[in-house]
Amino acid sequence: MDGERVGLVLSGSAARGPYQAGALSVLIPALLADGKAPVVLLGTSSGGISATLLAQFADTGAEAGQHVADVWTSFGAVFDNPFFGGASLRVIGRSLLGGLIEPVSSLLDTRPLREHAQKVFDPARVRANVDGGRPLTLAVAATVCPTEGAAARSRLFLLGERPARPPHDHAVDVVEVEQITLSHVLASAAIPLAFPPEYVAEPHAWRGYYVDGGVRLNAPVDAALACGVTRLVVVSGHSVGAPPQPRPVPPGAPPDTAATAALSVRAVLSDGLSDDLHALGRHNRWLREIEDVVPEDRRPGTRVPYLAVAPEDGQLAQLAADVFRPSALPLTANSAIGRMLDALGDGVGRDELLSLILFDGEYARQQVALGRERAEEVLAHGWRFGPPEQEDG
């Protein structure tokens, strides 16, 4: 609107999607009022869902972010009770009978997610908004399942204007599509092991099974920069600040399985984005330092100010633990998930994992409130140039 090219990156956050949506409900009207409408929307997993919904509702102007939040808080069940579903019985049967029973593709039956998504997702409206230039580019990231070996590639299914340069990551493909379909979105959010892989049929040359884009490309910051953005807005469901140094502990009390699993998940979903933001901050500072000695036409790019909205470390894990009220028996899907996580541990690691898989109305509403609060704080601070949590430059 004012000549700026604003990019919005929504990282993968699983059940923490409502936090991002709450932030969008504050960010979008503020950015529009400032003449800085996001025109490049990139998302992964839950962030891919929110990015696509934001493109769908873009024709509602300042209300678009709130519409995304409303979808998240009305989602309801995402998967059926795993204790009563066929997948659990087949896992048990295969462990007893071996090859007589076919292996399962996932531990959870996500038909409720697909059924609800079919009701709220309108791919034609998304295409119409992109054709109208609001936004110029929409892309969701997914990870293709290889037919041989175990090395995977990331694919950005892109509608609208292509990036001006190829991705720096040699294992990322930019795949242009005629329309972002439900399959593209569900593929981006297909959590490995928990959710079934999603088959994507179009484009024909890229057809195959896909899982969550967060496996390799949880926050496509480089893709946003490749699209020539002059400002960047990042919304994450995980902290992007440097974690504190842990205190030394004596031997004899090793962390439980939930704790080590939570560490691994956090590293995949958060550390890459944190590194990207710190690298962008360092690059901005370096460009500032050479302004007086290098002519403008010979500088390697321009500074890209950014906003980064993210929770404090452990904040959403604590919220999930406070909200979760399992029944005595696994009569609900969330109660069943809680019982399964309890078997892995009972500390902060369990709470961290719970916060990623708890699709609950009250949890979603409180996340939206936290996302709104944090977005207001970030907007009050203003655009940053330096690395996160360091003195700006």
Side-chain angles (χ1 to χ4, degrees):
M1 293 169 62
D2 63 356
E4 297 268 17
R5 192 179 184 89
V6 180
L8 173 63
V9 172
L10 299 167
S11 68
S13 303
R16 297 179 173 190
Y19 178 89
Q20 295 174 296
L24 290 177
S25 69
V26 170
L27 291 171
I28 296 304
L31 291 170
L32 291 178
D34 196 30
K36 295 178 173 55
V39 294
V40 175
L41 307 182
L42 306 176
T44 299
S45 192
S46 59
I49 294 173
S50 292
T52 305
L53 288 172
L54 192 60
Q56 175 174 315
F57 296 126
D59 52 8
T60 66
E63 297 298 317
Q66 184 58 51
H67 289 314
V68 176
D70 291 342
V71 170
W72 274 104
T73 54
S74 66
F75 241 103
V78 167
F79 47 82
D80 286 332
N81 192 321
F83 280 8
F84 301 149
S88 297
L89 297 177
R90 287 172 63 189
V91 169
I92 296 172
R94 184 171 174 81
S95 68
L96 298 175
L97 302 176
L100 296 178
I101 296 179
E102 289 294 319
V104 298
S105 60
S106 67
L107 296 179
L108 300 176
D109 183 348
T110 57
R111 278 179 292 184
L113 169 62
R114 181 179 297 276
E115 292 169 358
H116 187 75
Q118 288 171 336
K119 296 176 183 177
V120 300
F121 178 49
D122 186 349
R125 186 176 174 184
V126 172
R127 174 62 191 266
N129 283 337
V130 174
D131 287 346
R134 50 183 187 187
L136 298 172
T137 299
L138 168 67
V140 296
T143 307
V144 63
C145 298
T147 54
E148 56 188 31
R153 294 184 68 88
S154 299
R155 286 176 180 165
L156 270 173
F157 294 109
L158 181 141
L159 181 64
E161 292 186 6
R162 285 182 58 88
R165 62 165 174 80
H168 287 144
D169 187 335
H170 67 282
V172 175
D173 305 306
V174 177
V175 180
E176 293 184 85
V177 299
E178 293 295 323
Q179 190 161 268
I180 295 290
T181 67
L182 184 59
S183 291
H184 295 127
V185 179
L186 293 181
S188 180
I191 303 171
L193 186 63
F195 290 10
E198 179 73 16
Y199 188 77
V200 175
E202 296 294 338
H204 188 71
W206 305 90
R207 67 193 185 279
Y209 283 96
Y210 290 78
V211 293
D212 198 303
V215 171
R216 292 197 71 260
L217 189 63
N218 197 52
V221 170
D222 175 63
L225 297 175
C227 289
V229 301
T230 57
R231 290 180 183 269
L232 182 64
V233 181
V234 176
V235 186
S236 171
H238 295 79
S239 170
V240 296
Q245 286 285 354
R247 66 180 186 277
V249 297
D256 55 37
T257 306
T260 54
L263 284 174
S264 302
V265 171
R266 164 65 190 269
V268 171
L269 298 182
S270 179
D271 289 355
L273 173 56
S274 179
D275 291 344
D276 284 343
L277 291 178
H278 278 81
L280 177 61
R282 291 192 298 271
H283 187 68
N284 283 337
R285 283 191 167 182
W286 177 68
L287 289 174
R288 174 73 175 272
E289 291 169 358
I290 67 172
E291 282 181 355
D292 296 333
V293 294
V294 178
E296 184 174 355
D297 60 349
R298 297 183 60 186
R299 294 173 198 159
T302 58
R303 297 202 300 166
V304 178
Y306 69 92
L307 301 174
V309 180
E312 297 177 4
D313 194 23
Q315 185 179 25
L316 296 187
Q318 185 62 56
L319 176 61
D322 292 342
V323 169
F324 187 52
R325 296 291 183 270
S327 58
L329 296 174
L331 298 178
T332 68
N334 282 335
S335 292
I337 290 295
R339 294 287 178 261
M340 294 169 68
L341 293 178
D342 287 343
L344 302 180
D346 58 1
V348 293
R350 178 262 192 190
D351 296 342
E352 190 77 20
L353 296 178
L354 178 65
S355 72
L356 295 171
I357 205 68
L358 179 61
F359 292 91
D360 172 83
E362 181 59 26
Y363 178 46
R365 287 186 287 273
Q366 293 197 32
Q367 283 191 81
V368 167
L370 285 176
R372 289 181 58 86
E373 180 181 324
R374 181 57 182 153
E376 289 169 352
E377 293 173 354
V378 169
L379 287 170
H381 183 280
W383 295 90
R384 295 190 60 87
F385 286 93
E389 297 185 350
Q390 295 185 22
E391 191 67 27
D392 213 354

